[in-house]
Amino acid sequence: MANVEFKVYSNKFPVNLNVRFYHNKIDLSAKTNIFLDSDEFVFKRVAVGKKSKSTITLKADKVKQQVSALETMIIDRFKEDFPKNNTIDKLWLSKIIDSFHQRADDNSDIRFFLTPFIEFYIDKAKQQINPITGKKLDKKTITRYKYTLNMLRQYEEYSQRKLRISEVDLYFHNDFLHYLLEVCTPYGAETIKKFIGHIRQFVRAAQQMGYQTHPEVESPRFTYRSGETIDTYLNEDEIDRLYNMDFSANKRLENVRDLFLVGLRTGLRLSDLKRINSFEISNNTIKISEIEKTDKFVEIPLHPQVKAIVERRSNRFPEISEQRFNEYIKQVCQLAGIDEVILGAKKDSTTNRKVKGYYPKYELISSHTCRRSFVTNLYGKLEDLTIMAITGHKKHSQFLDYVKTTDRQHINKLAEHWNKDMK
């Protein structure tokens, strides 16, 4: 049976009440930070066989209520953690005492509780100006923050408790991963990595505001390895096939095909392609004063295919939403016969999660295919820094994430190298 005892080990007042918790081989002690004056308790020694045992009797009602509440909290947390085989040690006891003294009457208090603090953080972020770019935070970033907030709310509902900022530690990290991978329909590795990254970001912000956090949030273990993502790109032959397709009988598909080809040959994001009519296209280049995300000036030489499209369209391109763009380019690629069955990840409409499997290639094409294809097709032909100057990548590691050369292509390159040596 689990037991909780309270003792006094000093005669200097006010004295810090000590708590002892023991169960079988577990025997822990810690200071409660409940301070007593000499008139608030009575110290006694009681004979137990040949030995004596010291006890205290509390006199003040307020202290009795505090001690009773702490005892209940320790026992309740033990009942919750012990069956899960969670570590029951001195740190565990200290964390309970810390939580006890932070108990707020209102669980919406942003000083103590995580989800209310995140709500506050998001509202503040909406008005925040980036001192480097002079612009507000991207709306997509706010949407991702809200997605993480909603996931934490679902986790709180599952765990039936309001999560405190100070409880975001490695135990929470492990339990949250268990929830995402075992309780829910499993989330993708990249999504989980973003959840964990956002949570660490929120807790660090709380710490900067002077709120108590747990040091384990800075542990190298407080992360999630995303592994290698499965992304699709189009090779040179497939891009040429798209270019040579005649879509003149279907202006909708021709418009999307042309815009897609510009993306494939420039590496621009769809957000930039949608602004293409505002760019200066002359002297065989596209000049962009500020590309999306980086606000960097970029000048891109026109590929012959892009030059032909620009001249045919008199520098004017259609406007289209991202949803329609992704829908139509799948049709374009299917009609172009880009239907090789490959390994990839496609979103399941019922769960809204990506599912790994083998699909016809056209089903895996999206607006993101543009940058991946641009980088992959030029990788090894030009210096990395040259390509990065066009794509706007600042970190080489991020740039390499876009290189999607397959294992089969690496094998073929090695075979070609051996064949050259044999001649």
Side-chain angles (χ1 to χ4, degrees):
M1 179 179 176
N3 293 279
V4 178
E5 290 181 355
F6 294 91
K7 295 186 177 184
V8 171
Y9 293 112
S10 174
N11 56 5
K12 294 181 180 180
F13 299 103
V15 62
N16 196 341
L17 186 63
N18 199 81
V19 62
R20 178 191 174 203
F21 172 80
Y22 56 98
H23 174 76
N24 293 335
K25 294 182 179 181
I26 299 172
D27 196 342
L28 311 171
S29 294
K31 294 188 181 300
T32 65
N33 292 329
I34 298 174
F35 291 88
L36 306 177
D37 286 320
S38 58
D39 61 346
E40 293 181 319
F41 71 99
V42 176
F43 180 87
K44 293 182 180 179
R45 283 194 178 276
V46 181
V48 181
K50 295 182 179 180
K51 298 181 179 180
S52 65
K53 180 180 180 181
S54 61
T55 64
I56 62 168
T57 302
L58 299 172
K59 296 167 65 177
D61 290 339
K62 182 179 179 180
V63 176
K64 288 179 182 178
Q65 291 172 4
Q66 275 188 296
V67 170
S68 176
L70 178 56
E71 179 178 1
T72 300
M73 189 174 184
I74 293 170
I75 294 296
D76 288 347
R77 190 65 63 84
F78 176 77
K79 289 178 180 177
E80 178 183 340
D81 290 345
F82 188 79
K84 296 178 181 178
N85 201 31
N86 293 331
T87 302
I88 309 295
D89 57 11
K90 190 170 182 178
L91 178 60
W92 171 86
L93 182 58
S94 296
K95 285 167 58 178
I96 294 174
I97 294 170
D98 288 343
S99 297
F100 174 79
H101 288 290
Q102 291 177 9
R103 187 176 299 280
D105 295 331
D106 182 4
N107 61 13
S108 65
D109 194 325
I110 67 168
R111 296 173 300 171
F112 305 121
F113 296 97
L114 184 62
T115 52
F117 177 80
I118 297 174
E119 290 176 7
F120 163 79
Y121 181 92
I122 292 173
D123 286 339
K124 187 178 178 182
K126 290 177 183 177
Q127 306 302 322
Q128 188 174 343
I129 303 295
N130 187 319
I132 299 175
T133 64
K135 294 183 178 181
K136 288 185 177 181
L137 204 62
D138 191 279
K139 290 182 179 179
K140 289 183 179 179
T141 301
I142 299 294
T143 300
R144 295 187 188 104
Y145 288 166
K146 289 180 177 179
Y147 190 31
T148 301
L149 173 59
N150 288 334
M151 182 50 55
L152 282 168
R153 284 174 174 156
Q154 293 175 35
Y155 169 76
E156 286 184 331
E157 186 176 349
Y158 159 75
S159 59
Q160 297 184 331
R161 67 189 181 102
K162 197 75 172 176
L163 186 63
R164 292 173 176 272
I165 299 172
S166 60
E167 292 175 334
V168 180
D169 55 10
L170 289 176
Y171 166 72
F172 157 78
H173 175 269
N174 183 67
D175 200 50
F176 187 57
L177 290 182
H178 167 77
Y179 174 72
L180 295 175
L181 294 168
E182 303 294 337
V183 178
C184 305
T185 302
Y187 282 84
E190 277 295 322
T191 301
I192 295 175
K193 184 179 180 180
K194 288 177 181 177
F195 284 152
I196 298 298
H198 285 161
I199 292 169
R200 176 180 265 182
Q201 179 180 341
F202 299 143
V203 172
R204 283 173 172 169
Q207 185 182 44
Q208 290 175 356
M209 294 180 65
Y211 304 150
Q212 185 171 355
T213 62
H214 200 284
E216 287 179 355
V217 79
E218 299 298 338
S219 168
R221 293 166 55 201
F222 199 98
T223 185
Y224 189 76
R225 288 192 62 182
S226 60
E228 185 178 358
T229 56
I230 304 174
D231 293 320
T232 307
Y233 82 100
L234 297 183
N235 59 39
E236 291 288 352
D237 290 340
E238 291 166 330
I239 296 174
D240 289 343
R241 201 184 312 168
L242 282 177
Y243 176 77
N244 293 320
M245 284 286 294
D246 182 7
F247 287 105
S248 57
N250 190 326
K251 287 298 179 183
R252 171 174 59 84
L253 296 184
E254 184 180 56
N255 287 339
V256 173
R257 187 275 310 271
D258 287 355
L259 200 58
F260 188 40
L261 281 168
V262 174
L264 290 167
R265 294 305 191 185
T266 61
L268 292 173
R269 298 178 179 86
L270 181 59
S271 55
D272 289 316
L273 288 174
K274 288 162 68 173
R275 301 185 298 127
I276 193 170
N277 291 324
S278 66
F279 300 156
E280 182 184 343
I281 305 177
S282 60
N283 299 324
N284 293 326
T285 63
I286 296 179
K287 297 178 181 179
I288 309 171
S289 59
E290 293 180 347
I291 60 172
E292 195 75 16
K293 291 191 177 183
T294 64
D295 291 328
K296 182 180 178 182
F297 171 80
V298 171
E299 187 172 354
I300 307 173
L302 293 182
H303 185 279
Q305 291 177 354
V306 176
K307 184 179 179 182
I309 292 171
V310 167
E311 291 174 350
R312 173 166 51 82
R313 303 188 69 93
S314 300
N315 291 16
R316 300 300 300 174
F317 289 85
E319 295 182 1
I320 189 168
S321 68
E322 184 170 1
Q323 181 180 352
R324 292 300 185 189
F325 184 86
N326 287 331
E327 178 184 339
Y328 294 159
I329 58 174
K330 288 178 174 60
Q331 297 178 31
V332 167
C333 290
Q334 183 179 17
L335 291 172
I338 303 174
D339 52 10
E340 176 190 3
V341 177
I342 62 172
L343 180 64
K346 190 174 76 168
K347 186 175 288 187
D348 187 319
S349 58
T350 57
T351 63
N352 203 32
R353 315 274 172 79
K354 285 190 175 182
V355 179
K356 188 186 297 185
Y358 287 90
Y359 306 97
K361 193 170 188 176
Y362 66 84
E363 293 185 5
L364 303 172
I365 302 300
S366 71
S367 60
H368 298 296
T369 306
C370 294
R371 281 171 71 76
R372 288 195 291 263
S373 301
F374 179 81
V375 171
T376 302
N377 289 325
L378 291 177
Y379 183 68
K381 300 175 184 176
L382 298 174
E383 292 182 1
D384 292 359
L385 290 177
T386 301
I387 306 172
M388 290 171 65
I390 303 299
T391 60
H393 285 109
K394 294 181 180 179
K395 295 182 179 179
H396 191 250
S397 58
Q398 293 176 336
F399 164 78
L400 291 177
D401 285 341
Y402 279 82
V403 179
K404 299 302 172 185
T405 306
T406 65
D407 289 341
R408 172 49 56 188
Q409 288 171 308
H410 287 305
I411 293 169
N412 290 341
K413 284 183 179 180
L414 180 60
E416 291 174 6
H417 177 72
W418 294 150
N419 290 334
K420 287 179 183 179
D421 284 353
M422 294 294 289
K423 291 179 180 178

